[in-house]
Amino acid sequence: MKVTLSALDTSEAFFKPLVVLELARDVKEETRKWLEKKINDKKKNGGAQLLIRPLIEKCEEQTLESQNLYLVGASTIRLLLGAESVGLVKECNDSTMRAFTYETRQNFKGFSNGNDDFLTVAECQFIIKHELENLRARDEKMIPGYPQAKLYPGKSILRRLLTSGLVTQIFPLHDNEALKKLESTWYNRFKLKYQPLDNIRMYFGETITLYFGFLEYFTFALIPMALIGLPYYVFDWEDYDKYVIFASFNLIWSTVILEVWKRGCALMTYRWGTLLMKRQFEEPRPGFHGVLGINPITGREEPLYSSFKRQLRIYLISLPFVCLCLYFSLYVMMIYFDLETWAQEVHRESDFPELTNILLFVPSIIYAIVIEIMNRLYRFAAEFLTSWENHRLESAYQNHLVLKVLVFNFLNCFASLFYIAFVMRDMKLLRQSLATLLITSQILNQIVETLLPYWLQRKCGLRVKKKVQGLKADVDVTLYEQVMLEREKGTYLGTFDDYLELFLQFGYVSLFSCVYPLAAAFAVLNNFTEINSDALKMCKVFKRPFAEPSASIGVWQLAFETMSVIAVVTNCALIGMSPQLNAVFPDSKTDLILMVVAVEHALLALKFVLAFVIPDKPQEIQIKLAKLEFESLEALKQQAGIDARNVDTSSSFQGTPKQNAAESAVASGSGATSTSRTRGPWKMR
């Protein structure tokens, strides 16, 4: 018998606050009471059956801002039932990974009736967020007190409150004790060691942990490239043979590390359970709008928007705008080359060339700063355009945003290097520009992403402590101070910018490796500090983000693989331009071009062969996944057989009432036996 929420008592007098919900200051009282009732009410009445209370019951005048803050939590039973509804996968007592169900909870490793640590805090907060987002309107036509905020059956109430500005933010609370333990093993001691990825995952969830896992893996994978590149720089090797060896190693390296990462990622996500989680049907994103209609797939009433209108917006507005931005980026690049020419002329005509040597790096430094500013401004424009295109699903929105940002960032960061390499053919300037762009961008990212937000957050913390000192003695000062401090912190916007930074770094290292072999060494040094600064950023600077299940790094895997293919073409072309190779073919440039193209095709073929030979998932994971699929099919077959026998028995038997009763008892007993025999996939043989 399936356990339902309405049949269980999920209320508790005192509960551990997990999530903070902040309303706008001028929200009407009837709206507050209605929202509290919806969150607290039982599922059968259309509620979320969660626990909610104000941060402070009776506020003084100086703490009016805290009147709109509510703490949300849930009972242990409610969280366990929520874990089943979101499809969390946990480890069973037989060491297999299976979807958690409340009925079979005793079969899962680490579960006991008095154990509150079976679900991690990150999983509990994810469950609460899921339940709040799935709090849907039934008969309500509008939000009480706000006739302009329309509702319709099936609409997410929380999303409507957010888009209407009635709810300003919702964020999970830090667990200070668990956070201190994590900090002590993660970044407090600056030394060369592996990150505690399992502990990070328990606190922040899989998506953020995969980023830190990839950052660590990529950093260690760069070490061989750095060690091999150092002799090229120290001894100033310019021989063609040595560059061919280094470039060939780089191309094989870029393929192998990405394929090996996919295997390591599969191992981690299987252990965490996210590799087995079924993707749920995507709901319309919060910003999606249109004419109210019936979705032909789900049958629900929701906004509908013409795909033809969306395509018109993309091709008539967004695409020309992106092209205009690309043209502007190229125009700025030409200004940079004018500055380079001016700096070189000043250096040649100077009577003190030792002093003007510094001037040669000024144009590249200015250009690197301009590139960072343009990238960030374009990011805001790309987000606005992608939102205006009105994509229905969050995945479609993210895909279009990533495409826009990657195209612009690639051209903005690498166009000048391609121009220097293949138009100007100035290898000395290429080496200088590459070094300046790489180092300057790394320094700026450290300042903008971590140091500046940390300084601002410290100032905010001082203001909050002054407010806390004026509270009454009967107020839980510790909790109040924590909520108010985290409320003022900035919101972490996801791993997009972090992956983008690594993507551009991968481009600097791989595209022109044979010209500047020292790039990998600078990347390694930056990434070791990046691991610690990003950890500080997650723990101290920003609000705690909601955990999000994830089985891979998503579209960024494809982005890195595409960059590695472009690197093959770039390095082969650079080697083909070398004086040593041109001396081998002094009379026939056609033979030179044909040879370079042949080598480039051979290396590309080798990359694809390596990608094919190295499986994405280790064999042990493939076997475990195949076993689970087989057991699921067997369970479906047995259940289908039981249903068929029950239907045949009830429809074909025609006898006396006494015979009917006897036959019904036999059928009922046989059905119960079959059910007990097949209940739970771990009981099957």
Side-chain angles (χ1 to χ4, degrees), residues 5 8-11 43 47-51 73-85 102 119 127 131-132:
L5 274 170
L8 296 172
D9 182 14
T10 58
S11 61
K43 277 279 190 178
Q49 207 160 339
L50 299 174
L51 305 175
S75 65
T76 303
I77 296 176
R78 179 68 183 89
L79 291 171
L80 292 173
L81 290 168
E84 178 179 351
S85 67
Y102 184 78
L119 297 175
I127 291 168
E131 296 298 338
L132 289 175

Side-chain angles (χ1 to χ4, degrees), residues 75-321:
S75 65
T76 303
I77 296 176
R78 179 68 183 89
L79 291 171
L80 292 173
L81 290 168
E84 178 179 351
S85 67
V86 300
L88 285 186
V89 176
K90 307 290 283 187
E91 186 178 5
C92 295
N93 292 324
D94 59 358
S95 298
T96 59
M97 304 296 296
R98 301 184 187 277
F100 176 81
T101 60
Y102 184 78
E103 287 182 322
T104 59
R105 58 193 180 278
Q106 299 293 344
N107 295 326
F108 288 87
K109 186 176 291 186
F111 181 86
S112 63
N113 291 327
N115 181 18
D116 293 334
D117 298 329
F118 176 70
L119 297 175
T120 67
V121 176
E123 288 172 339
C124 294
Q125 291 169 337
F126 169 69
I127 291 168
I128 289 180
K129 179 195 174 194
H130 175 269
E131 296 298 338
L132 289 175
E133 288 181 341
N134 283 274
L135 187 61
R136 302 189 179 279
R138 287 190 171 182
D139 301 327
E140 301 95 340
K141 301 298 182 182
M142 64 177 185
I143 294 175
Y146 297 91
Q148 71 278 11
K150 301 294 183 183
L151 290 173
Y152 47 86
K155 173 67 177 176
S156 171
I157 292 175
L158 180 63
R159 293 186 179 188
R160 170 57 70 193
L161 290 168
L162 286 168
T163 54
S164 302
L166 301 177
V167 170
T168 57
Q169 61 178 338
I170 175 173
F171 59 91
L173 274 174
H174 274 294
D175 184 337
N176 290 328
E177 184 178 346
L179 184 61
K180 287 179 181 177
K181 292 180 181 178
L182 178 61
E183 289 173 346
S184 63
T185 59
W186 193 5
Y187 72 90
N188 271 354
R189 297 178 181 177
F190 188 82
K191 60 181 180 180
L192 184 62
K193 62 176 182 179
Y194 290 108
Q195 299 177 92
L197 293 180
D198 287 332
N199 294 338
I200 299 171
R201 175 250 168 184
M202 292 178 66
Y203 194 85
F204 286 110
E206 290 79 15
T207 299
I208 290 173
T209 308
L210 281 176
Y211 161 70
F212 280 100
F214 182 74
L215 174 58
E216 177 184 84
Y217 171 80
F218 183 55
T219 302
F220 282 103
L222 281 168
I223 292 178
M225 284 290 296
L227 294 176
I228 295 173
L230 282 173
Y232 281 85
Y233 184 81
V234 173
F235 299 108
D236 199 19
W237 289 343
E238 297 289 345
D239 294 339
Y240 157 73
D241 295 333
K242 296 184 177 65
Y243 271 134
V244 168
I245 295 171
F246 183 76
S248 301
F249 175 80
N250 177 23
L251 300 176
I252 297 173
W253 165 86
S254 63
T255 302
V256 171
I257 65 165
L258 293 175
E259 293 301 318
V260 172
W261 161 254
K262 284 193 282 189
R263 293 170 60 85
C265 182
L267 281 170
M268 284 192 298
T269 53
Y270 177 83
R271 187 173 73 248
W272 298 338
T274 52
L275 189 64
L276 302 173
M277 284 187 70
K278 295 180 180 179
R279 185 179 178 184
Q280 297 183 344
F281 184 79
E282 277 193 87
E283 298 289 339
R285 52 185 295 270
F288 178 67
H289 58 273
V291 180
L292 201 61
I294 302 298
N295 187 313
I297 299 174
T298 64
R300 294 177 181 171
E301 192 176 24
E302 64 176 47
L304 301 178
Y305 188 77
S306 169
S307 60
F308 177 72
K309 291 182 179 179
R310 185 181 301 113
Q311 296 300 320
L312 286 179
R313 291 187 173 190
I314 292 173
Y315 290 108
L316 296 184
I317 304 297
S318 296
L319 183 60
F321 177 80

Side-chain angles (χ1 to χ4, degrees), residues 256-539:
V256 171
I257 65 165
L258 293 175
E259 293 301 318
V260 172
W261 161 254
K262 284 193 282 189
R263 293 170 60 85
C265 182
L267 281 170
M268 284 192 298
T269 53
Y270 177 83
R271 187 173 73 248
W272 298 338
T274 52
L275 189 64
L276 302 173
M277 284 187 70
K278 295 180 180 179
R279 185 179 178 184
Q280 297 183 344
F281 184 79
E282 277 193 87
E283 298 289 339
R285 52 185 295 270
F288 178 67
H289 58 273
V291 180
L292 201 61
I294 302 298
N295 187 313
I297 299 174
T298 64
R300 294 177 181 171
E301 192 176 24
E302 64 176 47
L304 301 178
Y305 188 77
S306 169
S307 60
F308 177 72
K309 291 182 179 179
R310 185 181 301 113
Q311 296 300 320
L312 286 179
R313 291 187 173 190
I314 292 173
Y315 290 108
L316 296 184
I317 304 297
S318 296
L319 183 60
F321 177 80
V322 172
C323 293
L324 182 64
C325 291
L326 296 177
Y327 172 78
F328 181 73
S329 174
L330 294 175
Y331 182 77
V332 172
M333 180 190 74
M334 300 311 297
I335 296 176
Y336 155 67
F337 287 126
D338 291 339
L339 289 175
E340 281 284 357
T341 304
W342 170 79
Q344 291 175 3
E345 289 178 356
V346 171
H347 177 66
R348 282 194 301 267
E349 297 173 1
S350 175
D351 297 330
F352 304 97
E354 294 81 7
L355 296 176
T356 55
N357 271 333
I358 302 175
L359 184 64
L360 294 176
F361 292 93
V362 172
S364 296
I365 294 174
I366 294 174
Y367 184 51
I369 296 173
V370 171
I371 284 176
E372 289 298 320
I373 294 173
M374 290 172 61
N375 284 344
R376 296 181 185 278
L377 291 177
Y378 176 81
R379 170 71 184 276
F380 291 118
E383 288 178 346
F384 173 79
L385 274 179
T386 311
S387 178
W388 178 73
E389 290 166 4
N390 198 25
H391 296 280
R392 179 180 178 273
L393 302 180
E394 184 66 26
S395 59
Y397 171 85
Q398 290 295 334
N399 289 337
H400 282 79
L401 178 61
V402 168
L403 180 61
K404 289 185 183 73
V405 173
L406 284 186
V407 168
F408 180 81
N409 277 259
F410 183 85
L411 185 73
N412 199 30
C413 294
F414 300 117
S416 61
L417 301 178
F418 279 101
Y419 187 85
I420 295 171
F422 300 113
V423 178
M424 299 175 65
R425 299 194 175 189
D426 188 341
M427 296 300 115
K428 183 178 179 181
L429 179 59
L430 177 61
R431 187 180 294 112
Q432 173 189 313
S433 298
L434 177 57
T436 308
L437 289 174
L438 175 62
I439 297 170
T440 306
S441 64
Q442 290 176 347
I443 294 173
L444 287 176
N445 283 325
Q446 293 285 357
I447 294 173
V448 173
E449 292 183 2
T450 304
L451 296 180
L452 182 60
Y454 181 71
W455 177 72
L456 293 174
Q457 191 270 328
R458 289 289 298 270
K459 290 184 65 178
C460 174
L462 295 175
R463 292 198 304 268
V464 171
K465 288 182 179 179
K466 290 180 180 178
K467 293 179 182 178
V468 172
Q469 293 173 357
L471 290 176
K472 289 182 178 179
D474 58 348
V475 175
D476 186 351
V477 175
T478 304
L479 179 60
Y480 177 83
E481 181 179 358
Q482 179 187 355
V483 172
M484 297 303 294
L485 182 60
E486 293 184 25
R487 169 183 174 268
E488 297 295 333
K489 289 181 179 180
T491 301
Y492 181 67
L493 299 177
T495 56
F496 185 95
D497 289 328
D498 297 315
Y499 279 119
L500 180 61
E501 183 180 345
L502 285 179
F503 173 77
L504 296 176
Q505 184 187 91
F506 182 67
Y508 285 127
V509 171
S510 61
L511 288 178
F512 304 98
S513 59
C514 61
V515 175
Y516 190 61
L518 203 60
F522 281 115
V524 169
L525 293 175
N526 173 78
N527 287 358
F528 276 123
T529 60
E530 184 82 13
I531 290 173
N532 289 275
S533 63
D534 281 353
L536 173 68
K537 176 175 67 178
M538 296 302 305
C539 295

